[in-house]
């Protein structure tokens, strides 16, 4: 019926002709014009006529995708197989519609997932054939659909591609049934710092490669390689940003070419005094006590008498920090710094284009599964993740079991969630207010956990439904036995089992196989496509002790930190000159800064690459988002008869600071 003149037009639906034996589908239609049609009444996608693509026609497109983008080398037999595959799947419009390039990109990504960093050479053998067999590319990915799919060995096409249905259709049928039965604990994994796979960065291939298992006593060159790897990673990230990309045209006299930002190696400054340069490197201190900048080509003494930090009121610079310096090279051999800033952050969606095939956690989830280009498996994981809206994570910091009011505060927190247990409860140290070696030894320390076990027995719903994760601090064994509570090396081992037997008995009736986890510091949590990093460290105090002083800003950071917490929660920071993660208001400082001021196990530095949950009791609790990375600090549990913690909702990727009196 034509629509009324006073009403907006609604779409006209296609009604196919059906055999007489088939019931009239019009009886199944609702009055709502936006209600999806039944499957039998949906318009069928047009069939695609397969074409034969010559090798010389597909070769430049395949070279751009496989070699330029994914650093892969195609052999001639592999190219011939791809020509047949693309021609049958995409048809004559494979180039104009861009469907062929998208399909090749999906094949390259899947090859990377299967073969890893060692599979640089792509041949037409069983490896590529298995990728094509298992690859399910729907109409939403390639711009068209087919009823018959590419068949390599005579296998029916329906067994390979499920009748040509798109991934959205497959996911839609599973969403009503399968997603309701998803068990979130089955997709939860806690990764220990000493068991995570190690990847070494290859600066020539600009890719990560699997490395041998690290050792606590690595060779001497490990320390040198450590700083080179950090420099290469940040340097190649900078070159991917628009600020440092060269123009596509060559016009030496044009103003655009002169305005391009170029990073100059320190060794190239010789004989060029009086000129201005942009330098990138790591701040350090020379044996004579002078502040210097280092890069792989050399080092230079810095003059910061007129230097200004960017941003002025929200940055920390310490030895061990990588930064960008704008200044002039003097005849005295010093580099006079005008402005100093930090490398810009790179969003996860950008990193996926380069390292999307890498499974850094070793849990079967590659980096690209967290974005739209992650294929069917990634889309299904993200759908299931967002559908579980009731799943919560709790993060509780500085749980001093010998402190006044700690057990009462924990009882208050647990009672808040007794009726709706969260999926994960993370308890972070220090679990003792003083170092174990100076607090009566191991007997007294074990008594504290026995008291916690008695408290947990009063909450059987939590112990049977939630996963408890314990992360040690500086005062926890065994590191505190030798350090007396001072900072020790990172990462740290979990709390020894000798202190945890009573708590383990409380969780014997739990339905989850990993109901209690004694994790390292730091540790990682893999949940569907999300990666949550937990680290307990007094980072703010380290920055204060080791910060480099610049010209005093007009608005000191202390004024910003004194703002009410309500104005600091959920603040979105969008300053391109700052680095990866945020520790507190307006200070997204890189984790690289504190590498130089705290001990680390050199062979395990691959684990200290990202921060998300920062437990620093010296700071007030906060949550903040910087470049799509959500950063939370639960602070200290007990503060003036108030219990404080952070509640995180993974379905929306946001957290909030909670408090309750006791």
């Amino acid at each position: 019926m034509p629509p009324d003149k006073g009403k907006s037009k609604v779409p006209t639906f296609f009604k196919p002709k059906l055999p007489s034996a088939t019931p009239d589908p019009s009886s199944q239609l609702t009055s709502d014009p936006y209600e999806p049609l039944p499957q039998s009444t949906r318009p069928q996608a047009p069939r695609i006529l397969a074409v034969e693509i010559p090798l010389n026609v597909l070769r430049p497109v395949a070279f751009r995708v496989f070699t330029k983008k994914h650093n892969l080398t195609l052999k001639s037999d592999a190219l011939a197989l791809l020509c047949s595959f693309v021609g049958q799947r995409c048809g004559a419009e494979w180039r104009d519609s861009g469907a062929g390039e998208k399909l090749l990109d999906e094949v390259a990504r899947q090859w990377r997932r299967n073969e890893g960093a060692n599979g640089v050479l792509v041949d037409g053998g069983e490896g590529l054939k298995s990728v094509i067999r298992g690859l399910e590319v729907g109409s939403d990915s390639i711009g068209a659909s087919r009823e018959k799919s590419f068949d390599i060995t005579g296998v029916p096409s329906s067994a390979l591609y499920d009748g040509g249905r798109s991934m959205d259709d497959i996911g839609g049928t599973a969403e009503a049934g399968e997603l309701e039965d998803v068990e979130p604990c089955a997709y939860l994994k806690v990764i220990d710092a000493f068991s995570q796979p190690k990847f070494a960065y290859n600066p020539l291939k600009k890719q990560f490669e699997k490395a041998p298992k690290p050792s606590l006593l690595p060779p001497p060159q490990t320390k040198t390689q450590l700083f080179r790897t950090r420099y290469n990673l940040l340097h190649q990230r900078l070159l991917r940003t628009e600020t440092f990309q060269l123009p596509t045209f060559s016009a030496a006299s044009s103003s655009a070419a002169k305005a391009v930002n170029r990073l100059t190696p320190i060794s190239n400054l010789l004989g060029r005094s009086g000129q201005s340069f942009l330098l990138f490197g790591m701040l350090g201190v020379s044996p004579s006590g002078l502040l210097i900048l280092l890069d792989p080509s050399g080092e230079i003494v810095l003059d910061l008498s007129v230097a200004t930090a960017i941003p002025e009121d929200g940055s920390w610079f310490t030895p061990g920090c990588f930064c960008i310096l704008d200044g002039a090279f003097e005849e005295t051999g010093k580099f006079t710094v005008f402005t100093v800033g930090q490398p810009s952050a790179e969003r996860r969606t950008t990193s996926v284009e380069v390292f999307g095939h890498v499974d850094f956690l070793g849990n079967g989830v590659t980096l690209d599964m967290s974005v739209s280009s992650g294929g069917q498996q990634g889309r299904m994981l993200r759908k299931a993740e967002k559908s579980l809206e009731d799943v919560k994570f709790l993060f509780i910091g500085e749980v001093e079991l010998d402190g006044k009011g700690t057990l009462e505060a924990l009882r208050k927190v647990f009672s808040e969630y007794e009726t709706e247990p969260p999926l994960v409860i993370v308890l972070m140290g220090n679990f003792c207010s003083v170092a174990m070696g100076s607090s009566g030894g191991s007997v007294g320390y074990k008594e504290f956990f026995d008291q916690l076990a008695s408290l947990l027995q009063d909450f059987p719903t939590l112990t049977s439904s939630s996963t408890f994760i314990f992360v040690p601090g500086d005062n926890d064994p065994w590191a505190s036995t030798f350090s007396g509570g001072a900072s020790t090396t990172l990462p740290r081992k979990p709390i020894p089992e000798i202190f945890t037997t009573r708590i383990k008995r409380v969780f014997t009736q739990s339905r989850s196989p990993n109901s209690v986890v004694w994790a390292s510091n730091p540790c990682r949590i893999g949940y569907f496509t999300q990666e949550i990093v937990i680290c307990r460290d007094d980072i703010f105090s380290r920055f204060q002790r080791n910060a480099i002083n610049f010209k005093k800003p007009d608005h000191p950071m202390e004024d910003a930190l004194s703002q009410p917490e309500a104005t600091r929660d959920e603040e979105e920071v969008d300053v391109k000159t700052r680095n990866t993660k945020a520790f507190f208001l307006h200070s997204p400082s890189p984790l690289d800064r504190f590498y130089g001021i705290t001990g680390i196990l050199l062979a395990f530095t691959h684990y200290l690459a990202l921060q998300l949950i920062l437990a620093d009791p010296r700071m007030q609790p906060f949550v903040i988002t910087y470049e799509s990375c959500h950063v939370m600090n639960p602070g200290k549990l007990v503060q003036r008869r108030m219990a404080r913690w952070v509640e995180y909702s993974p379905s929306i990727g946001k957290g909030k600071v909670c408090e309750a009196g006791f």
Side-chain angles (χ1 to χ4, degrees):
M1 295 177 61
D4 296 338
K5 295 182 179 181
K7 299 182 180 179
S8 60
K9 294 184 178 181
V10 298
T12 302
F13 293 96
F14 174 76
K15 182 178 179 181
K17 294 183 179 180
L18 300 174
S20 58
T22 305
D24 186 7
S26 61
S27 61
Q28 305 176 14
L29 298 179
T30 64
S31 59
D32 186 0
Y34 296 100
E35 182 73 19
L37 285 172
Q39 183 68 29
S40 60
T41 62
R42 292 184 183 179
Q44 298 296 324
R47 295 184 179 182
I48 296 177
L49 181 63
V51 296
E52 183 177 349
I53 304 177
L55 295 180
N56 60 340
V57 175
L58 187 66
R59 182 178 287 110
V61 181
F63 176 79
R64 181 168 63 250
V65 174
F66 278 79
T67 305
K68 290 291 187 180
K69 186 173 182 179
H70 295 280
N71 292 323
L72 299 173
T73 302
L74 270 177
K75 296 184 68 175
S76 57
D77 55 347
L79 183 62
L81 186 61
L82 291 175
C83 285
S84 179
F85 179 51
V86 173
Q88 293 194 34
R89 286 292 293 171
C90 303
E93 300 295 327
W94 67 272
R95 183 188 302 186
D96 297 338
S97 63
E101 185 170 348
K102 292 180 181 179
L103 183 58
L104 291 176
D105 183 71
E106 188 69 20
V107 173
R109 289 180 184 276
Q110 189 61 42
W111 173 272
R112 276 292 192 183
R113 297 190 194 105
N114 296 349
E115 304 297 330
N118 296 326
V120 179
L121 188 63
V122 182
D123 56 16
E126 189 60 30
L128 182 59
K129 291 179 181 179
S130 63
V131 169
I132 295 177
R133 289 192 192 100
L135 190 62
E136 297 180 341
V137 182
S139 60
D140 60 331
S141 299
I142 64 172
S145 62
R146 291 179 54 87
E147 290 186 356
K148 292 187 178 181
S149 302
F150 184 63
D151 190 0
I152 301 174
T153 58
V155 180
S157 59
S158 59
L160 290 175
Y161 295 97
D162 197 12
R165 287 186 298 163
S166 69
M167 296 301 103
D168 289 341
D169 291 339
I170 296 174
T173 58
E175 186 176 3
E178 296 178 8
L179 294 186
E180 292 180 357
D181 302 330
V182 170
E183 285 291 338
C185 1
Y187 297 89
L188 177 69
K189 183 179 180 181
V190 181
I191 298 95
D192 189 89
F194 298 91
S195 60
Q196 180 184 350
K198 181 177 181 180
F199 289 87
Y201 181 72
N202 189 329
L204 299 179
K205 299 180 181 179
K206 295 183 174 58
Q207 288 291 335
F208 282 97
E209 300 176 345
K210 277 202 169 184
K213 187 176 180 180
S215 170
L216 291 176
L217 298 174
Q221 62 268 24
T222 305
K223 186 173 183 179
T224 305
Q225 187 62 33
L226 157 68
F227 295 104
R228 286 183 177 272
T229 299
R230 290 191 205 147
Y231 176 87
N232 291 328
L233 279 172
L234 291 173
H235 186 261
Q236 57 90 17
R237 181 202 298 172
L238 282 173
L239 297 183
R240 288 200 298 267
T241 60
E242 297 182 359
T243 307
F244 295 96
Q245 287 182 354
L246 298 177
T248 55
F249 53 89
S250 56
S253 59
S254 66
S255 58
K258 295 180 180 179
V260 171
N261 296 307
R262 300 175 184 270
L263 296 176
T264 305
I266 293 178
S267 59
N268 291 4
L269 301 183
L270 187 62
R272 304 172 69 180
S273 60
Q275 301 182 31
S276 299
F277 300 95
L278 275 179
L279 304 183
F280 172 67
M282 185 184 73
L283 295 177
V285 180
S286 67
S288 58
L290 299 176
L291 187 67
I292 59 176
L293 185 75
L294 303 97
D295 71 3
S297 67
E299 62 182 53
I300 189 171
V301 178
L302 302 178
D303 181 5
L304 302 180
S305 58
V306 295
T308 302
I310 299 178
E312 295 183 353
D313 60 344
S315 292
W316 294 92
F317 294 90
T318 65
C321 168
F322 283 86
C323 56
I324 303 175
L325 306 180
D326 181 15
F329 181 57
E330 306 295 343
E331 294 182 356
T332 58
K334 292 185 178 182
F335 188 79
T336 301
V337 181
F338 303 142
T339 56
V340 52
Q342 297 164 355
S344 58
E346 184 175 81
R347 288 179 176 262
R348 190 182 186 92
T349 52
T350 306
S351 300
V352 161
E353 298 179 1
V354 185
F355 309 122
H357 62 282
V358 183
D359 176 16
F360 288 101
L361 299 186
N363 61 346
V365 179
T366 56
L367 197 64
D368 59 357
M369 289 186 181
S370 60
V371 298
S372 57
S373 61
Q376 179 199 15
Q377 187 177 3
R379 285 192 289 270
M380 292 300 298
L381 288 175
R382 293 193 303 275
K383 282 184 179 180
E385 179 183 303
K386 294 180 179 179
S387 66
L388 300 171
E389 299 178 354
D390 297 333
V391 173
K392 306 292 182 185
F393 288 15
L394 300 188
F395 298 97
I396 307 174
E398 198 71 3
V399 185
E400 296 178 346
L401 298 176
D402 61 337
K404 183 179 180 181
T406 299
L407 295 180
E408 291 84 351
L410 285 176
R411 181 178 295 276
K412 180 63 177 179
V413 175
F414 294 160
S415 61
E416 294 280 339
Y417 298 92
E418 178 68 12
T419 56
E420 297 181 0
L423 178 64
V424 175
I425 299 178
V426 181
L427 301 177
M428 289 170 275
N430 298 309
F431 294 105
C432 186
S433 58
V434 293
M436 192 197 71
S438 57
S439 61
S442 58
V443 176
Y445 188 82
K446 189 176 187 304
E447 290 179 354
F448 300 146
F449 279 98
D450 292 345
Q451 296 173 9
L452 177 60
S454 301
L455 173 64
L456 291 173
Q457 288 178 342
D458 298 336
F459 299 93
T461 305
L462 291 179
T463 56
S464 62
S465 305
S466 302
T467 297
F468 282 72
I469 303 175
F470 293 83
V471 180
D474 293 335
N475 292 342
D476 299 310
W478 291 113
S480 62
T481 307
F482 307 98
S483 65
S487 177
T488 56
T489 57
L490 287 177
R492 301 189 185 101
K493 289 278 191 178
I495 296 175
E497 293 185 3
I498 190 176
F499 305 106
T500 64
T501 54
R502 178 80 181 275
I503 290 185
K504 287 182 178 179
R505 286 199 296 266
V506 177
F507 291 88
T508 53
Q509 304 299 326
S510 175
R511 294 178 304 207
S512 174
N514 298 321
S515 55
V516 57
V517 179
W518 303 92
S520 62
N521 181 21
C523 66
R524 277 173 163 81
I525 299 177
Y527 178 73
F528 286 97
T529 62
Q530 295 190 29
E531 176 184 351
I532 303 174
V533 186
I534 304 171
C535 182
R536 165 62 179 90
D537 196 75
D538 298 335
I539 299 179
F540 182 68
S541 300
R542 301 184 194 282
F543 285 163
Q544 287 183 320
R545 291 194 302 267
N546 297 273
I548 299 173
N549 294 325
F550 295 94
K551 296 172 61 177
K552 188 175 181 180
D554 297 333
H555 305 285
M557 184 175 299
E558 288 74 16
D559 295 340
L561 293 176
S562 62
Q563 296 181 21
E565 293 176 15
T567 62
R568 290 189 271 124
D569 290 349
E570 297 292 342
E571 179 167 353
E572 177 75 24
V573 180
D574 188 16
V575 182
K576 301 302 182 184
T577 56
R578 304 169 190 172
N579 208 328
T580 51
K581 307 300 164 211
F583 300 120
F584 43 83
L585 182 67
H586 296 313
S587 185
S589 308
L591 183 63
D592 297 320
R593 306 174 189 227
F594 89 100
Y595 280 142
I597 54 180
T598 188
I600 58 173
L601 299 178
L602 297 177
F604 291 87
T605 54
H606 65 285
Y607 202 84
L608 309 174
L610 174 69
Q611 296 286 51
L612 184 63
I613 306 298
L614 291 166
D616 190 344
R618 300 331 189 252
M619 291 295 300
Q620 293 294 321
F622 68 86
V623 292
I624 195 171
T625 301
Y626 175 70
E627 293 292 352
S628 300
C629 179
H630 202 56
V631 186
M632 296 167 279
N633 178 30
K636 193 173 182 179
L637 170 62
V638 180
Q639 293 183 347
R640 298 179 181 178
R641 302 297 298 178
M642 295 289 293
R644 295 185 177 183
W645 68 97
V646 169
E647 179 188 287
Y648 176 65
S649 300
S651 61
I652 59 175
K654 297 292 184 181
K656 64 178 180 179
V657 177
C658 303
E659 61 180 22
F662 61 91

